[in-house]
Amino acid sequence: MDRIKSMQAFSAVVSEGSFAAAAEKLNTSSQLVSKYVAQLEDYLGVRLLNRTTRKINLTEVGQQYAANVKQLLEQIAEIEHRVGAMHTETSGQLRISAPVSFAISHLSGMISDFQTDYPQVTVDLQLNDRKVDILHEGFDIALRIGHLKNSSLIGKFIAPVHLKFYAAPSYLKEFGTPQHPKELAEHRRLIYSYSENDGSEIMGYWFKNLDTQSKLPMVSNNGDVLVQAAVAGHGIALQPTFIAQQACNEGKLVSILNEHAPPSMGLYAVYAHRKLLPRKIRAFLDFSEGYFGNPPVWDS
Amino acid sequence: MDRIKSMQAFSAVVSEGSFAAAAEKLNTSSQLVSKYVAQLEDYLGVRLLNRTTRKINLTEVGQQYAANVKQLLEQIAEIEHRVGAMHTETSGQLRISAPVSFAISHLSGMISDFQTDYPQVTVDLQLNDRKVDILHEGFDIALRIGHLKNSSLIGKFIAPVHLKFYAAPSYLKEFGTPQHPKELAEHRRLIYSYSENDGSEIMGYWFKNLDTQSKLPMVSNNGDVLVQAAVAGHGIALQPTFIAQQACNEGKLVSILNEHAPPSMGLYAVYAHRKLLPRKIRAFLDFSEGYFGNPPVWDS
DNA sequence: TTTAATTATCAACAAATCGTTGTTAATGGT
DNA sequence: ACCATTAACAACGATTTGTTGATAATTAAA
């Protein structure tokens, strides 16, 4: 038995004054209305209406109940309306986790463009290079750079991310320019903390013999810092183009070993579920689609 | 879909923190709870919970909705509790319609006895010799004297009511004592307005030739008045024993034609419906059962 | 008074839904 | 790496729902 339907039926009978009129109002048959009210009475164990074939009279209990039910139904409608509005209005807070360097260099512009399109959405942008647990930490979307792993999360591809080896001309002048990745093991490498050895040949060379302290002048969890170190001539950095390309264009860095670049990665928007996605999230995903162009702005 | 059940399921999941715990609380299976919540989400078109196999997280909408639903469910419980209480507590107002003379002479005592047994019931006793429309005029019970007619109403027999012909000794001395009903047409008759010719032989004699003005000194809708008129020697009255018997016992009246008394009638409690009878009504009906004894107090 | 129309209820049946069972995939703790 | 727990999914039988037709009761009209 659907108690809410029963209540609606009862309420309609009370306000319309007859079963037939109530049925019309609710677009159903009088028989069904009669059944509903009878069910409600059975459930409550109370007679709500004294009815002859011609007239309807509320019992004492029925009067009280009718008043309460009317209020209740209005409340339910109000609540559901609010929920519906929240869902369709494309509003609310959108919590995004993003990698630090990418966010600083390219995301801030995108977010502000997004907000001019959707002023009702408040963005809470948390910069963090960790792999956050978006469910547990309450994020709607996490932007991640890398390859997508199997998980219950969905990842939407936003833009390709290419890694290149960079070094300052001064460094190359002093230590020579490696012609093949296997020479990397002999160079001073600027390592990004969260980078992973994905098992590819090129990454094997990159991480080779890192225990030799002299070859490892710097480790950081921030790419910009590493790029600056490279610019200062402290070593070779393996960094995404969106971080280092500008310095390269300015002549402060040179990209090397371009024929042996690691497999290209992607910028992904990772989110939690597949159906009944809140509008604000849908909107952000759609907005991000193609925003950076292909090839992306930082590569052209 | 039973929205209330769904709400309860959702609310339980929120408060218990897991589907399994919620299922236990509601004495059902976790599968069912899962189904309910999914249905609710489909109905609302909104994701309420972000769930992994291990943790539950409310969405933004879900938080709001959960708070509202919790309140709502409490309200529903409160309302239904009140309704239940009204039904089981044997309380409330009991509106009774009763014949004037009978109420004055015998009902007042019964009502006060009833109220000592059921102090929570407020009695609203309306005296009226009309046949009230109990539904339309909002009565719970109508006490009626007479024969029960076919109707959708139920009548419960409370006590037998006998009619007798009464006259004052002085009247009989002056006009003679009728030995057979057919002689009534020659006597001065004190007529009760609401009395009906039920088609019986004896009532035929009683109503015969009433157009002769001299034979009709008085018509009243009140039996006591007619009895007093009879005591004063103004004529013959056909009245129930419960009104006239006392005057008879005191010698002020004599009952005549006892072998030809009209068919005995009854005092009935008439009420509206058969199932889900409010407690207060049930209580009154049970209380009235046998209250006046058999033969009733006014006849013994 | 009789007839017709309206109204609520009852009965029965087909269709839809519900709640169960068994299974799978994912996750966190040991 | 394994195991226990958890949520989701699929499928099936049982129950409930909503429909249709019929019945009884009451009022208005003829």
Side-chain angles (χ1 to χ4, degrees):
Chain A
M1 182 188 88
D2 189 331
R3 253 139 86 203
I4 291 186
K5 277 191 187 172
S6 300
M7 287 180 187
Q8 284 172 332
F10 171 63
S11 197
V13 169
V14 171
S15 64
E16 301 295 313
S18 92
F19 280 64
E24 182 126 5
K25 186 184 178 189
L26 301 175
N27 288 320
T28 145
S29 61
S30 64
Q31 288 96 321
L32 201 50
V33 174
S34 170
K35 238 184 194 176
Y36 272 147
V37 174
Q39 278 182 350
L40 193 61
E41 289 180 330
D42 266 349
Y43 170 76
L44 295 171
V46 173
R47 187 86 173 182
L48 297 171
L49 293 165
N50 288 325
R51 32 204 190 277
T52 65
T53 56
R54 234 46 195 188
K55 281 202 188 77
I56 299 288
N57 279 76
L58 282 167
T59 63
E60 199 177 353
V61 184
Q63 276 176 4
Q64 280 231 12
Y65 190 66
N68 288 325
V69 157
K70 189 166 172 250
Q71 250 193 307
L72 204 65
L73 290 175
E74 281 167 7
Q75 272 186 56
I76 292 176
E78 162 72 17
I79 290 172
E80 294 187 347
H81 177 261
R82 244 190 337 238
V83 167
M86 281 187 76
H87 185 239
T88 54
E89 259 180 21
T90 313
S91 62
Q93 196 185 49
L94 184 65
R95 297 197 71 221
I96 303 176
S97 169
V100 179
S101 299
F102 177 78
I104 290 171
S105 54
H106 295 94
L107 198 59
S108 54
M110 177 187 175
I111 299 283
S112 68
D113 285 352
F114 177 74
Q115 284 192 311
T116 57
D117 276 20
Y118 298 96
Q120 305 247 38
V121 179
T122 321
V123 174
D124 176 3
L125 180 64
Q126 295 287 321
L127 301 192
N128 202 323
D129 288 326
R130 264 191 308 114
K131 276 192 181 164
V132 299
D133 179 339
I134 64 173
L135 288 177
H136 195 229
E137 301 182 38
F139 286 105
D140 293 309
I141 289 176
L143 296 180
R144 295 212 179 123
I145 289 167
H147 305 287
L148 220 53
K149 282 199 180 165
N150 301 9
S151 87
S152 62
L153 303 174
I154 325 263
K156 182 185 167 62
F157 180 84
I158 295 181
V161 171
H162 302 288
L163 294 183
K164 286 188 179 173
F165 296 97
Y166 293 97
S170 61
Y171 174 88
L172 296 175
K173 200 169 185 177
E174 183 176 351
F175 296 96
T177 302
Q179 299 303 319
H180 190 272
K182 64 185 172 190
E183 297 172 23
L184 284 171
E186 303 306 317
H187 280 267
R188 301 168 66 84
R189 283 162 279 169
L190 305 167
I191 299 291
Y192 178 63
S193 312
Y194 294 123
S195 65
E196 288 174 355
N197 187 339
D198 61 1
S200 66
E201 190 188 359
I202 187 83
M203 291 307 270
Y205 289 125
W206 178 248
F207 285 109
K208 197 174 180 184
N209 295 339
L210 268 190
D211 45 354
T212 314
Q213 200 62 28
S214 62
K215 306 299 178 198
L216 190 62
M218 189 171 192
V219 170
S220 174
N221 68 347
N222 182 278
D224 289 298
V225 172
L226 294 172
V227 168
Q228 284 167 31
V231 168
H234 293 154
I236 299 175
L238 176 62
Q239 283 294 318
T241 53
F242 67 77
I243 294 181
Q245 199 60 38
Q246 198 181 353
C248 199
N249 295 343
E250 293 167 2
K252 296 176 184 168
L253 287 179
V254 176
S255 68
I256 57 177
L257 293 170
N258 284 336
E259 301 79 38
H260 303 278
S264 79
M265 303 189 298
L267 173 68
Y268 292 91
V270 177
Y271 54 102
H273 28 68
R274 57 205 81 205
K275 70 175 182 178
L276 290 175
L277 202 59
R279 274 282 178 94
K280 56 185 182 183
I281 299 183
R282 179 84 266 151
F284 186 85
L285 294 172
D286 293 346
F287 188 84
S288 68
E289 176 137 33
Y291 179 85
F292 294 110
N294 195 357
V297 287
W298 52 80
D299 282 349
S300 57
Chain B
M1 182 188 86
D2 188 330
R3 254 138 86 203
I4 292 187
K5 276 190 186 174
S6 300
M7 288 180 187
Q8 284 172 333
F10 171 64
S11 196
V13 169
V14 171
S15 64
E16 300 296 312
S18 94
F19 281 64
E24 182 127 4
K25 186 183 177 189
L26 301 175
N27 288 320
T28 116
S29 61
S30 64
Q31 286 96 324
L32 202 49
V33 174
S34 169
K35 237 184 195 176
Y36 273 147
V37 174
Q39 279 181 351
L40 194 61
E41 288 180 331
D42 267 348
Y43 170 76
L44 295 172
V46 172
R47 188 85 171 180
L48 297 171
L49 293 167
N50 287 325
R51 32 204 191 276
T52 65
T53 57
R54 241 32 200 197
K55 283 206 186 74
I56 299 289
N57 280 75
L58 280 167
T59 64
E60 200 176 351
V61 185
Q63 276 175 6
Q64 279 231 13
Y65 190 67
N68 289 324
V69 157
K70 189 165 171 252
Q71 250 193 307
L72 204 66
L73 289 174
E74 280 167 7
Q75 272 187 53
I76 292 175
E78 162 71 18
I79 288 172
E80 294 187 347
H81 177 261
R82 246 193 331 243
V83 168
M86 281 186 76
H87 186 237
T88 54
E89 258 181 20
T90 314
S91 62
Q93 196 186 49
L94 185 64
R95 297 198 71 222
I96 304 175
S97 169
V100 181
S101 297
F102 177 78
I104 292 170
S105 55
H106 295 94
L107 198 59
S108 54
M110 177 187 174
I111 300 282
S112 69
D113 285 354
F114 176 74
Q115 283 192 311
T116 58
D117 275 21
Y118 297 97
Q120 305 248 38
V121 179
T122 323
V123 174
D124 176 3
L125 179 64
Q126 296 286 321
L127 302 193
N128 201 324
D129 287 327
R130 264 190 309 113
K131 274 191 183 167
V132 297
D133 179 338
I134 65 172
L135 288 177
H136 196 229
E137 301 182 36
F139 285 105
D140 293 308
I141 289 176
L143 295 180
R144 294 208 181 126
I145 289 167
H147 305 289
L148 219 54
K149 280 197 181 169
N150 300 9
S151 89
S152 62
L153 304 173
I154 325 259
K156 180 183 166 62
F157 180 85
I158 296 182
V161 171
H162 301 289
L163 294 182
K164 286 188 179 175
F165 296 99
Y166 291 96
S170 61
Y171 174 88
L172 297 176
K173 200 166 183 179
E174 187 174 352
F175 297 97
T177 304
Q179 298 304 318
H180 190 271
K182 65 186 175 190
E183 298 172 24
L184 285 171
E186 304 305 318
H187 279 267
R188 299 166 69 82
R189 281 161 281 168
L190 304 167
I191 298 290
Y192 178 64
S193 313
Y194 292 124
S195 64
E196 288 173 354
N197 187 339
D198 61 0
S200 65
E201 189 188 1
I202 188 85
M203 291 306 272
Y205 290 126
W206 176 247
F207 285 110
K208 197 174 179 183
N209 296 339
L210 268 190
D211 46 355
T212 314
Q213 199 62 25
S214 64
K215 306 301 179 199
L216 190 62
M218 190 171 192
V219 170
S220 173
N221 68 348
N222 183 278
D224 289 297
V225 172
L226 295 173
V227 168
Q228 283 167 30
V231 169
H234 293 152
I236 298 175
L238 176 62
Q239 284 294 318
T241 53
F242 66 77
I243 294 181
Q245 199 60 38
Q246 196 181 354
C248 199
N249 294 342
E250 293 168 0
K252 296 175 184 169
L253 288 179
V254 176
S255 69
I256 56 177
L257 293 168
N258 283 337
E259 301 78 40
H260 303 278
S264 81
M265 302 188 299
L267 173 68
Y268 291 90
V270 176
Y271 55 100
H273 30 68
R274 57 204 83 204
K275 71 174 180 175
L276 291 175
L277 201 61
R279 274 284 179 92
K280 57 186 181 182
I281 299 183
R282 179 83 270 149
F284 186 85
L285 293 173
D286 292 345
F287 188 85
S288 68
E289 176 138 32
Y291 179 85
F292 295 111
N294 195 358
V297 286
W298 51 78
D299 281 349
S300 58

